[in-house]
Amino acid sequence: MTMNNNINLNTPRKFRIKSPCSTANIGPGFDVLGMSLSLYLTMEVEILPASDKTPSFVMTYSGEGATKVPLTPEKNLITKTALYVLSANGITSLPQPLKIHVDNPIPLGRGLGSSGAAVVGGVLLGNALGQLNLSHDRLLDYCLMIERHPDNVAAALMGGFVASYLRELSPEQMKGVPESETALLNNAVAQRAVPQPPVGIGHYVKLGWNQNIKCIAIVPQFEVATAKARAVLPTQYERKDIVFNFQRLAVLTTALGQVPPNPELIYNAMQDKIHQPYRKTLIPGLPEILSTITYEKYDGLLGICLSGAGPTILALATKNYDEIAQAAIALFKKHGDFECFYKVLDVVTDGSTCVDL
């Protein structure tokens, strides 16, 4: 095992990593806004004594995707990400024997940041296994080498209601960085040299949030791949549509922190013309859900939008959570024969954590 600053990385220890799910866009904030929510991917990690009879690597998994998530270090997104962080810091393998149990309650492919939570969790895992003691700002750079949109990972890592952007990097700064995250992870798994990420790829700011506002996630039982949801978007937009979103985004970022919240202001500020209109072909019932579930009809409702790329619907409200959720579920069922469930979640401010046990 490679040593890091004369520290034996195989020293037995236990720790727990928690990474929250997240929602992104929040209407007009396409690729800008994200929120971390109170549903956590959890990892119990143990480096065992060398004398232990356990195999060199054991990974178990419970929760969403338990029957289809690969459990080998070369295939699993969490461990591949950890291997990338270690490899970028000159550490070529995982400590042994290593035991990891993942519990994931975050629905996969539904617009609730399941891959973002896995990437953030994997970066924290690499940081902990290598005892690298990287700052959260530096950890964000590693996240953005893999998940190259900042909205979900910035929220999941930092916590709270977050606005973020990517810095444009020069060709010199990108030298040696593979074009795709897949190539980067494959190089790390194959123990080929991988670069340190450029410093300061992503920048973020935490926005004010009224803690009386709850997030209702209405989750239909079908998946929409993010790549497919991006493929339906146009490459060019009318100026009036861009201005429409700019105006609402500027208002929304302040309105969601005000006490008391203003339903009319927030509902109208959560309208969008950049991504939601183009994704209606992928999500049966979307136009009717967004246009008929209004603050005038449902007391307590503040706004409604797609969660990330969908198909989950995000409703912000201060009361009547069940009534609002059931109205959306009824419209989903009207347009398709699929089951739905909902969760009432809080915006959480602690972000992702790693705690020794």
mmCIF file of all heavy atoms in Angstrom, residues 240-264:
data_model
loop_
_atom_site.group_PDB
_atom_site.id
_atom_site.type_symbol
_atom_site.label_atom_id
_atom_site.label_comp_id
_atom_site.label_asym_id
_atom_site.label_seq_id
_atom_site.Cartn_x
_atom_site.Cartn_y
_atom_site.Cartn_z
ATOM 1 N N LYS A 240 -36.049 36.885 -25.753
ATOM 2 C CA LYS A 240 -37.148 37.142 -24.808
ATOM 3 C C LYS A 240 -37.293 36.017 -23.787
ATOM 4 O O LYS A 240 -37.646 36.253 -22.627
ATOM 5 C CB LYS A 240 -38.468 37.372 -25.550
ATOM 6 C CG LYS A 240 -38.950 36.211 -26.394
ATOM 7 C CD LYS A 240 -40.250 36.565 -27.131
ATOM 8 C CE LYS A 240 -40.690 35.465 -28.090
ATOM 9 N NZ LYS A 240 -40.948 34.181 -27.444
ATOM 10 N N ASP A 241 -36.989 34.782 -24.202
ATOM 11 C CA ASP A 241 -37.077 33.665 -23.264
ATOM 12 C C ASP A 241 -35.938 33.706 -22.240
ATOM 13 O O ASP A 241 -36.132 33.374 -21.064
ATOM 14 C CB ASP A 241 -37.042 32.331 -24.018
ATOM 15 C CG ASP A 241 -38.326 32.093 -24.819
ATOM 16 O OD1 ASP A 241 -39.335 32.770 -24.536
ATOM 17 O OD2 ASP A 241 -38.316 31.227 -25.714
ATOM 18 N N ILE A 242 -34.757 34.114 -22.687
ATOM 19 C CA ILE A 242 -33.622 34.234 -21.769
ATOM 20 C C ILE A 242 -33.885 35.358 -20.760
ATOM 21 O O ILE A 242 -33.652 35.197 -19.557
ATOM 22 C CB ILE A 242 -32.321 34.485 -22.551
ATOM 23 C CG1 ILE A 242 -31.992 33.260 -23.407
ATOM 24 C CG2 ILE A 242 -31.162 34.783 -21.599
ATOM 25 C CD1 ILE A 242 -30.855 33.468 -24.370
ATOM 26 N N VAL A 243 -34.386 36.484 -21.241
ATOM 27 C CA VAL A 243 -34.710 37.603 -20.345
ATOM 28 C C VAL A 243 -35.790 37.187 -19.349
ATOM 29 O O VAL A 243 -35.710 37.516 -18.153
ATOM 30 C CB VAL A 243 -35.157 38.839 -21.156
ATOM 31 C CG1 VAL A 243 -35.713 39.928 -20.242
ATOM 32 C CG2 VAL A 243 -33.985 39.389 -21.979
ATOM 33 N N PHE A 244 -36.790 36.436 -19.821
ATOM 34 C CA PHE A 244 -37.856 35.917 -18.953
ATOM 35 C C PHE A 244 -37.250 35.172 -17.764
ATOM 36 O O PHE A 244 -37.613 35.398 -16.602
ATOM 37 C CB PHE A 244 -38.753 34.993 -19.788
ATOM 38 C CG PHE A 244 -39.906 34.368 -19.043
ATOM 39 C CD1 PHE A 244 -41.169 34.934 -19.096
ATOM 40 C CD2 PHE A 244 -39.740 33.189 -18.305
ATOM 41 C CE1 PHE A 244 -42.246 34.350 -18.425
ATOM 42 C CE2 PHE A 244 -40.803 32.607 -17.623
ATOM 43 C CZ PHE A 244 -42.057 33.190 -17.696
ATOM 44 N N ASN A 245 -36.294 34.274 -18.045
ATOM 45 C CA ASN A 245 -35.678 33.502 -16.958
ATOM 46 C C ASN A 245 -34.774 34.344 -16.073
ATOM 47 O O ASN A 245 -34.776 34.191 -14.850
ATOM 48 C CB ASN A 245 -34.890 32.319 -17.540
ATOM 49 C CG ASN A 245 -35.753 31.085 -17.711
ATOM 50 O OD1 ASN A 245 -36.843 31.159 -18.291
ATOM 51 N ND2 ASN A 245 -35.297 29.952 -17.221
ATOM 52 N N PHE A 246 -33.978 35.228 -16.685
ATOM 53 C CA PHE A 246 -33.099 36.100 -15.892
ATOM 54 C C PHE A 246 -33.913 36.888 -14.867
ATOM 55 O O PHE A 246 -33.527 37.001 -13.696
ATOM 56 C CB PHE A 246 -32.363 37.094 -16.794
ATOM 57 C CG PHE A 246 -31.168 36.521 -17.501
ATOM 58 C CD1 PHE A 246 -30.578 37.219 -18.554
ATOM 59 C CD2 PHE A 246 -30.616 35.312 -17.141
ATOM 60 C CE1 PHE A 246 -29.480 36.715 -19.215
ATOM 61 C CE2 PHE A 246 -29.512 34.794 -17.795
ATOM 62 C CZ PHE A 246 -28.941 35.497 -18.839
ATOM 63 N N GLN A 247 -35.027 37.460 -15.308
ATOM 64 C CA GLN A 247 -35.844 38.288 -14.416
ATOM 65 C C GLN A 247 -36.347 37.475 -13.229
ATOM 66 O O GLN A 247 -36.277 37.911 -12.075
ATOM 67 C CB GLN A 247 -37.026 38.871 -15.198
ATOM 68 C CG GLN A 247 -36.618 39.934 -16.226
ATOM 69 C CD GLN A 247 -37.771 40.334 -17.122
ATOM 70 O OE1 GLN A 247 -38.707 39.557 -17.363
ATOM 71 N NE2 GLN A 247 -37.714 41.548 -17.654
ATOM 72 N N ARG A 248 -36.856 36.291 -13.512
ATOM 73 C CA ARG A 248 -37.423 35.462 -12.451
ATOM 74 C C ARG A 248 -36.356 34.891 -11.524
ATOM 75 O O ARG A 248 -36.554 34.797 -10.309
ATOM 76 C CB ARG A 248 -38.283 34.358 -13.077
ATOM 77 C CG ARG A 248 -39.636 34.912 -13.497
ATOM 78 C CD ARG A 248 -40.264 34.222 -14.680
ATOM 79 N NE ARG A 248 -41.496 34.943 -15.040
ATOM 80 C CZ ARG A 248 -41.511 36.082 -15.742
ATOM 81 N NH1 ARG A 248 -40.376 36.636 -16.166
ATOM 82 N NH2 ARG A 248 -42.662 36.685 -16.014
ATOM 83 N N LEU A 249 -35.223 34.519 -12.096
ATOM 84 C CA LEU A 249 -34.121 33.988 -11.281
ATOM 85 C C LEU A 249 -33.648 35.028 -10.267
ATOM 86 O O LEU A 249 -33.429 34.717 -9.090
ATOM 87 C CB LEU A 249 -32.975 33.566 -12.201
ATOM 88 C CG LEU A 249 -31.692 33.080 -11.524
ATOM 89 C CD1 LEU A 249 -31.955 31.879 -10.638
ATOM 90 C CD2 LEU A 249 -30.646 32.745 -12.577
ATOM 91 N N ALA A 250 -33.509 36.275 -10.713
ATOM 92 C CA ALA A 250 -33.039 37.338 -9.816
ATOM 93 C C ALA A 250 -34.006 37.544 -8.654
ATOM 94 O O ALA A 250 -33.582 37.739 -7.502
ATOM 95 C CB ALA A 250 -32.860 38.636 -10.600
ATOM 96 N N VAL A 251 -35.300 37.471 -8.935
ATOM 97 C CA VAL A 251 -36.311 37.655 -7.886
ATOM 98 C C VAL A 251 -36.358 36.436 -6.963
ATOM 99 O O VAL A 251 -36.408 36.560 -5.736
ATOM 100 C CB VAL A 251 -37.691 37.920 -8.523
ATOM 101 C CG1 VAL A 251 -38.795 37.896 -7.455
ATOM 102 C CG2 VAL A 251 -37.689 39.255 -9.260
ATOM 103 N N LEU A 252 -36.340 35.240 -7.549
ATOM 104 C CA LEU A 252 -36.523 34.010 -6.778
ATOM 105 C C LEU A 252 -35.448 33.816 -5.715
ATOM 106 O O LEU A 252 -35.745 33.367 -4.602
ATOM 107 C CB LEU A 252 -36.532 32.808 -7.734
ATOM 108 C CG LEU A 252 -36.830 31.443 -7.096
ATOM 109 C CD1 LEU A 252 -38.247 31.411 -6.537
ATOM 110 C CD2 LEU A 252 -36.633 30.320 -8.114
ATOM 111 N N THR A 253 -34.208 34.136 -6.035
ATOM 112 C CA THR A 253 -33.108 33.883 -5.098
ATOM 113 C C THR A 253 -33.258 34.682 -3.797
ATOM 114 O O THR A 253 -32.751 34.269 -2.760
ATOM 115 C CB THR A 253 -31.748 34.199 -5.735
ATOM 116 O OG1 THR A 253 -31.771 35.516 -6.273
ATOM 117 C CG2 THR A 253 -31.420 33.202 -6.837
ATOM 118 N N THR A 254 -33.951 35.805 -3.859
ATOM 119 C CA THR A 254 -34.241 36.570 -2.633
ATOM 120 C C THR A 254 -35.577 36.176 -2.032
ATOM 121 O O THR A 254 -35.717 36.042 -0.816
ATOM 122 C CB THR A 254 -34.227 38.079 -2.928
ATOM 123 O OG1 THR A 254 -32.907 38.458 -3.334
ATOM 124 C CG2 THR A 254 -34.633 38.893 -1.701
ATOM 125 N N ALA A 255 -36.575 35.916 -2.889
ATOM 126 C CA ALA A 255 -37.938 35.658 -2.412
ATOM 127 C C ALA A 255 -38.018 34.421 -1.524
ATOM 128 O O ALA A 255 -38.813 34.386 -0.575
ATOM 129 C CB ALA A 255 -38.879 35.508 -3.604
ATOM 130 N N LEU A 256 -37.191 33.403 -1.781
ATOM 131 C CA LEU A 256 -37.264 32.170 -0.997
ATOM 132 C C LEU A 256 -36.642 32.311 0.391
ATOM 133 O O LEU A 256 -36.773 31.418 1.221
ATOM 134 C CB LEU A 256 -36.608 31.015 -1.759
ATOM 135 C CG LEU A 256 -37.393 30.534 -2.982
ATOM 136 C CD1 LEU A 256 -36.598 29.512 -3.779
ATOM 137 C CD2 LEU A 256 -38.748 29.951 -2.579
ATOM 138 N N GLY A 257 -35.992 33.437 0.657
ATOM 139 C CA GLY A 257 -35.448 33.685 1.986
ATOM 140 C C GLY A 257 -36.287 34.642 2.803
ATOM 141 O O GLY A 257 -36.000 34.878 3.984
ATOM 142 N N GLN A 258 -37.335 35.192 2.201
ATOM 143 C CA GLN A 258 -38.136 36.192 2.901
ATOM 144 C C GLN A 258 -39.121 35.553 3.878
ATOM 145 O O GLN A 258 -39.620 34.457 3.648
ATOM 146 C CB GLN A 258 -38.903 37.047 1.887
ATOM 147 C CG GLN A 258 -37.999 37.943 1.054
ATOM 148 C CD GLN A 258 -38.761 38.780 0.041
ATOM 149 O OE1 GLN A 258 -39.802 38.361 -0.463
ATOM 150 N NE2 GLN A 258 -38.244 39.959 -0.250
ATOM 151 N N VAL A 259 -39.405 36.265 4.977
ATOM 152 C CA VAL A 259 -40.370 35.824 5.983
ATOM 153 C C VAL A 259 -41.382 36.936 6.193
ATOM 154 O O VAL A 259 -40.998 38.053 6.526
ATOM 155 C CB VAL A 259 -39.669 35.502 7.324
ATOM 156 C CG1 VAL A 259 -40.681 35.034 8.361
ATOM 157 C CG2 VAL A 259 -38.582 34.441 7.122
ATOM 158 N N PRO A 260 -42.702 36.666 6.008
ATOM 159 C CA PRO A 260 -43.255 35.415 5.490
ATOM 160 C C PRO A 260 -43.051 35.324 3.980
ATOM 161 O O PRO A 260 -42.847 36.350 3.320
ATOM 162 C CB PRO A 260 -44.741 35.547 5.846
ATOM 163 C CG PRO A 260 -45.002 37.018 5.785
ATOM 164 C CD PRO A 260 -43.757 37.670 6.296
ATOM 165 N N PRO A 261 -43.141 34.114 3.411
ATOM 166 C CA PRO A 261 -42.992 33.993 1.963
ATOM 167 C C PRO A 261 -44.209 34.538 1.225
ATOM 168 O O PRO A 261 -45.322 34.492 1.747
ATOM 169 C CB PRO A 261 -42.852 32.483 1.749
ATOM 170 C CG PRO A 261 -43.573 31.877 2.919
ATOM 171 C CD PRO A 261 -43.365 32.825 4.062
ATOM 172 N N ASN A 262 -43.996 35.049 0.037
ATOM 173 C CA ASN A 262 -45.059 35.640 -0.775
ATOM 174 C C ASN A 262 -45.444 34.649 -1.879
ATOM 175 O O ASN A 262 -44.702 34.482 -2.846
ATOM 176 C CB ASN A 262 -44.557 36.954 -1.383
ATOM 177 C CG ASN A 262 -45.615 37.666 -2.214
ATOM 178 O OD1 ASN A 262 -46.463 37.042 -2.845
ATOM 179 N ND2 ASN A 262 -45.548 39.000 -2.235
ATOM 180 N N PRO A 263 -46.586 33.960 -1.742
ATOM 181 C CA PRO A 263 -46.946 32.920 -2.713
ATOM 182 C C PRO A 263 -47.036 33.416 -4.157
ATOM 183 O O PRO A 263 -46.538 32.755 -5.069
ATOM 184 C CB PRO A 263 -48.312 32.428 -2.214
ATOM 185 C CG PRO A 263 -48.324 32.760 -0.760
ATOM 186 C CD PRO A 263 -47.562 34.042 -0.638
ATOM 187 N N GLU A 264 -47.660 34.563 -4.356
ATOM 188 C CA GLU A 264 -47.804 35.064 -5.731
ATOM 189 C C GLU A 264 -46.438 35.365 -6.342
ATOM 190 O O GLU A 264 -46.154 35.008 -7.496
ATOM 191 C CB GLU A 264 -48.668 36.332 -5.748
ATOM 192 C CG GLU A 264 -48.866 36.881 -7.161
ATOM 193 C CD GLU A 264 -49.686 38.165 -7.200
ATOM 194 O OE1 GLU A 264 -49.977 38.723 -6.123
ATOM 195 O OE2 GLU A 264 -50.022 38.607 -8.324
#
